[in-house]
């Protein structure tokens, strides 16, 4: 029963103390590397994208949707597996997500470096690889432009997430949230309901319901548990609550109603035969 979870989160203060000066230096270096690599990629792409605007526009739009998926996948990984004690990723990636469930408002007190350092680090190798592609070929130009949009939206992701937790975000931000163009607060609130097991996408959230109903992350969790014996969310919720959640039935698969009414013309439009 989910009502009897008895969640045991980690200690809030210990999680905050895990944000060490070394982690902060790592974040500053990541932001500097991100700016350098994205400028390089942007300069390589700009003249070629202007010459092929439709290809560029479709690649940019696909990159934005891909960012929503990547944000969900990384968030799910960091929420579900591992501990803050793991080397490197434990302190830099897993700890902030553990802290975020214990204290969702803490993100609104983060400055630019703490908000964006991690995401910049993830983007640097992807953007560098995109800049090295043979951009004179349309296919690779499409891939590189998509990667550029993806990295830009990934940079925006933690900012959108932070705004979704603010009591009074700027006016323009509220308009974008209401239009569904960046992560809306009410939509993201679904993720913050224990046991924090769905709606992981935090760029805009367009993919959340589809991934949940298609059992995307639930299936991955089942496969990983079968292969490794690891229990999803054990470090985040405590063993008892994680076991209760793992036993929960899967959500119903979406039903596709093929209501074609193939026999409709015959049955519906029968002319009435009147006697002479
Ligand atoms: Zn989470
Ligand atoms: Zn959140």
């Amino acid at each position: 029963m989910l009502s009897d979870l008895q969640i045991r989160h980690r200690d809030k203060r210990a999680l905050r103390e895990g944000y060490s000066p070394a982690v902060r230096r790592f974040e500053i270096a990541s932001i500097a590397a991100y700016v350098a690599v994205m400028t390089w990629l942007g300069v390589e792409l700009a003249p070629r994208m202007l010459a092929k605007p439709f290809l560029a526009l479709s690649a940019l739009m696909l990159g934005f949707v891909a960012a929503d998926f990547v944000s969900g996948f990384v968030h799910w990984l960091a929420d579900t597996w591992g501990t803050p004690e793991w080397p490197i990723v434990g302190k830099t990636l897993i700890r902030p997500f553990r802290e975020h469930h214990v204290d969702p408002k803490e993100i609104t007190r983060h400055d630019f470096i703490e908000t964006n350092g991690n995401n910049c680090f993830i983007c640097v190798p992807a953007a560098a690889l995109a800049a090295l592609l043979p951009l004179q070929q349309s296919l690779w130009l499409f891939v590189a432009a998509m990667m550029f949009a993806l990295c830009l939206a990934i940079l925006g992701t933690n900012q959108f997430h932070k705004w979704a937790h603010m009591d009074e975000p700027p006016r323009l931000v509220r308009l974008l949230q209401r239009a569904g163009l960046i992560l809306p607060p009410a939509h993201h609130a679904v993720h913050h309901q224990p046991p924090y097991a769905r709606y992981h996408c935090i760029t805009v959230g367009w993919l959340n319901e589809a991934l949940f109903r298609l059992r995307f992350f639930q299936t991955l969790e089942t496969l990983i548990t079968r292969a490794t014996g690891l229990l999803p969310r054990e470090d985040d919720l405590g063993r008892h609550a994680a076991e209760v959640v793992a036993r929960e039935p899967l959500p119903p698969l979406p039903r596709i109603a093929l209501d074609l009414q193939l026999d409709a013309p015959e049955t519906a439009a029968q002319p009435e035969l009147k006697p002479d």
Side-chain angles (χ1 to χ4, degrees), residues 23-38:
V23 172
R24 187 151 179 98
R25 283 196 294 276
F26 166 83
E27 288 173 346
I28 293 168
S30 299
I31 292 169
Y34 176 92
V35 172
V37 173
M38 285 295 277

Side-chain angles (χ1 to χ4, degrees), residues 90-101:
K91 282 214 164 30
T92 53
L93 192 70
I94 297 173
R95 184 203 62 80
F97 283 103
R98 296 286 183 278
E99 181 182 41
H100 185 57
H101 290 175

